[in-house]
Amino acid sequence: MDKIVALSKRRGFVFPSSEIYGGLASSYDYGHYGVLLKDNVKARWLEAMVRERDDIVALDSSIILHPRVWEASGHVSGFSDPLVDCRTCKQRFRADHLADPEHEEVRCGKRPSKRPGETPVCDLTEPRQFNLMFQTRVGAVEETGVDVYLRPETAQGIFINFKNVAQIARRKPPFGIAQVGKAFRNEITPGNFIFRTLEFEQMEMEYFVPPDEADEWYRYWVDERYRWHLRYGVRESHLRVRPHEAEELSHYSSGTSDIEYLFPIGWSELEGIANRGDFDLTQHAEFSGTKLEYVDTATGERYVPHVIEPAAGVGRTVLALLCDAYDEDDIGGEQRTVLRLAPHIAPIKVAVLPLVNKDGQPEKARAIYEQLRELWPTEYDAGGSIGKRYRRQDEIGTPWGVTVDGQTGEDRTVTLRDRDSLEQVRVPLDELGDELGRRLADPWRS
Ligand code: GAP
């Protein structure tokens, strides 16, 4: 994890937030390559969920919703962690992590570092429930304002729009509503870089189905989402599906499976797929007084659809992709760090480099760059030795490098370098676009 954090900072993927003020726990800012990488993850998700299908539509709901939404969803009463405080070291711990061997990393703030409660000076409070939702106020005047919450999940914005979408998009179950957006949780346990943050983006889809088809669709979505992660290069040996035990299930769920990734911190949740039954639509119907059901106008059949929910985190997916792609190898006695990112995920697809900064090579390289950037995210890089520039592109995961050299002026060919095989071939300039397009369309092999 230290290597991933260092590379992310060095190459401008992710920075600790508010760093010049000493940082803010569990908060990170995405730099240029981080934004491009994150955008690619979201685009691939929307592609698989919306663009390539006929049965799912998109939504972008508000972050601040009517406060009753969170009463209906159970978040006001139930979305909380049991916490204990240490009066000596002032740290806060999840009560359920204290004796849990899976959470050996939880340590007291005093030396010698032991489990909280084991250091002689430890003075722990009784567990107290702590709601994870951030609260704020809407209204011009403090006294007359209304308490509202920043959404802790995007899902509820979807449920409360069920009627709008079902009627206006004239959808009949099975159909889904997909949303990508920010969510906020007042997380107090250590974040492990971007694995757990206060502010994060979710990619959630609520799939509304006839009640008697729920089990079948639940299995379908577990498989479908597992395959999506493999499609973008995550190693099969680093990915698994873990069905929840009965006692782990959320109050609304009759079945949940986590897709887990083997992060450097161990197997941890990357995405959850839940069979939420009719809990959400029934609750919102009761709290709002609006009927949320499907009515077949031809047959008169009516029912409250059940919901299957695949819910993934953008930051967690970015972290899994970075961990899986990170590699170190040896080129002619020199160590290189390389991100073997799938081309569809890589922030930059192709870098164009003049071999030397003279003899008209920079001008030729720049002209090629200007053509290619109309097709794909491309970078022009003329600073430093060619070796250094290759290393830089390898570290940001650019799959291909195009080098303009002395021969380019003579026969209008360039060198095309492959990041992973290190193979270099000469390609006529007129064929470069087609060749890159062909390589990009090839199925990805890690
Ligand atoms: N609507 C269901 C729901 O929100 P969740 O398992 O709490 O379920 C779904 O969240 C996904 O959102 C998780 O699998 C994870 O990828 C991401 N996620 C949740 N909390 C997060 C946090 N504090 N920081 C980063 N990602 C988080």
Side-chain angles (χ1 to χ4, degrees):
M1 188 69 103
D2 288 345
K3 287 183 172 182
I4 301 289
V5 174
L7 174 73
S8 296
K9 179 148 190 221
R10 184 166 77 246
R11 291 302 179 199
F13 282 95
V14 180
F15 307 113
S17 184
S18 314
E19 207 180 3
I20 60 169
Y21 288 97
L24 177 67
S26 303
S27 299
Y28 290 89
D29 297 340
Y30 285 78
H32 180 66
Y33 296 123
V35 172
L36 299 181
L37 176 57
K38 199 151 67 91
D39 281 352
N40 288 342
V41 167
K42 292 186 274 185
R44 298 293 83 80
W45 187 86
L46 282 168
E47 217 164 69
M49 288 306 212
V50 180
R51 215 177 79 193
E52 293 173 0
R53 305 183 62 107
D54 301 324
D55 55 349
I56 303 181
V57 295
L59 179 78
D60 185 6
S61 72
S62 301
I63 285 175
I64 296 174
L65 302 173
H66 193 290
R68 292 271 285 162
V69 168
W70 307 108
E71 288 172 32
S73 69
H75 283 83
V76 169
S77 56
F79 192 56
S80 55
D81 282 341
L83 298 182
V84 296
D85 289 300
C86 175
R87 297 185 187 93
T88 311
C89 73
K90 309 291 181 217
Q91 285 203 32
R92 195 166 250 191
F93 309 100
R94 283 258 305 255
D96 53 329
H97 285 178
L98 294 188
D100 185 346
E102 294 253 313
H103 288 278
E104 269 297 322
E105 80 285 357
V106 178
R107 294 275 142 183
C108 156
K110 290 283 179 193
R111 304 232 164 247
S113 178
K114 294 190 177 167
R115 302 300 305 262
E118 291 177 0
T119 313
V121 292
C122 272
D123 184 9
L124 301 180
T125 62
E126 286 300 308
R128 285 179 292 204
Q129 288 304 119
F130 172 87
N131 197 291
L132 294 176
M133 284 194 294
F134 283 109
Q135 211 172 21
T136 187
R137 274 179 93 71
V138 171
V141 187
E142 178 73 8
E143 302 78 62
T144 58
V146 179
D147 284 332
V148 291
Y149 302 97
L150 302 188
R151 66 181 177 197
E153 61 173 16
T154 59
Q156 300 303 324
I158 298 180
F159 297 129
I160 60 173
N161 274 293
F162 169 79
K163 196 173 165 203
N164 285 336
V165 176
Q167 282 181 354
I168 289 156
R170 286 180 297 118
R171 297 288 162 165
K172 175 179 174 6
F175 77 92
I177 306 177
Q179 165 156 241
V180 178
K182 279 236 164 151
F184 304 81
R185 294 184 191 177
N186 200 352
E187 303 276 8
I188 55 93
T189 45
N192 284 312
F193 192 40
I194 51 173
F195 180 82
R196 183 176 291 106
T197 48
L198 302 181
E199 211 178 292
F200 54 98
E201 280 175 287
Q202 287 188 314
M203 305 180 285
E204 296 199 290
M205 194 276 290
E206 309 301 326
Y207 201 70
F208 301 94
V209 301
D212 57 352
E213 294 178 18
D215 288 341
E216 181 193 326
W217 282 112
Y218 168 63
R219 286 193 298 275
Y220 168 87
W221 279 111
V222 172
D223 286 354
E224 196 68 10
R225 295 302 306 148
Y226 180 79
R227 272 206 303 275
W228 182 84
H229 290 281
L230 291 181
R231 187 165 149 190
Y232 294 108
V234 169
R235 271 166 264 199
E236 208 161 354
S237 57
H238 289 180
L239 204 64
R240 72 178 186 193
V241 174
R242 189 183 67 80
H244 280 205
E245 304 288 342
E247 62 274 15
E248 259 186 284
L249 292 176
S250 314
H251 55 288
Y252 52 74
S253 171
S254 60
T256 297
S257 289
D258 286 346
I259 297 181
E260 294 189 332
Y261 178 74
L262 186 54
F263 288 99
I265 50 170
W267 286 103
S268 306
E269 177 185 342
L270 182 57
E271 167 160 5
I273 296 104
N275 182 347
R276 299 178 70 118
D278 63 1
F279 175 80
D280 306 279
L281 292 183
T282 307
Q283 284 291 102
H284 286 302
E286 190 185 320
F287 277 68
S288 67
T290 303
K291 271 195 181 144
L292 298 174
E293 55 185 17
Y294 170 71
V295 184
D296 189 320
T297 42
T299 63
E301 181 196 19
R302 61 173 65 221
Y303 59 83
V304 178
H306 283 210
V307 172
I308 312 300
E309 173 195 71
V314 178
R316 255 181 226 187
T317 307
V318 165
L319 183 59
L321 289 165
L322 286 175
C323 293
D324 222 75
Y326 185 94
D327 199 8
E328 289 168 358
D329 62 6
D330 197 281
I331 308 182
E334 202 189 314
Q335 197 192 311
R336 99 170 155 152
T337 299
V338 53
L339 280 185
R340 302 191 190 282
L341 290 169
H344 286 90
I345 293 292
I348 303 292
K349 314 297 177 215
V350 52
V352 186
L353 327 166
L355 182 64
V356 291
N357 264 315
K358 55 182 184 183
D359 304 335
Q361 290 181 20
E363 292 75 16
K364 284 194 192 82
R366 205 160 166 102
I368 297 170
Y369 155 71
E370 279 168 14
Q371 279 179 0
L372 292 180
R373 77 173 175 189
E374 285 180 19
L375 302 171
W376 303 288
T378 306
E379 212 168 75
Y380 172 72
D381 192 352
S385 74
I386 189 77
K388 237 186 182 154
R389 283 179 274 155
Y390 281 147
R391 289 303 93 78
R392 190 173 158 275
Q393 294 299 332
D394 289 341
E395 286 203 357
I396 62 170
T398 306
W400 300 292
V402 169
T403 309
V404 169
D405 55 19
Q407 202 180 321
T408 309
E410 293 161 18
D411 63 3
R412 287 185 52 78
T413 62
V414 286
T415 304
L416 182 55
R417 173 187 184 266
D418 184 283
R419 173 197 69 199
D420 296 334
S421 67
L422 292 172
E423 183 195 42
Q424 301 202 17
V425 290
R426 285 211 82 86
V427 178
L429 260 181
D430 299 340
E431 292 169 22
L432 182 62
D434 285 350
E435 176 60 21
L436 284 167
R438 192 186 56 71
R439 290 184 182 207
L440 203 56
D442 271 353
W444 163 245
R445 285 176 307 276
S446 178

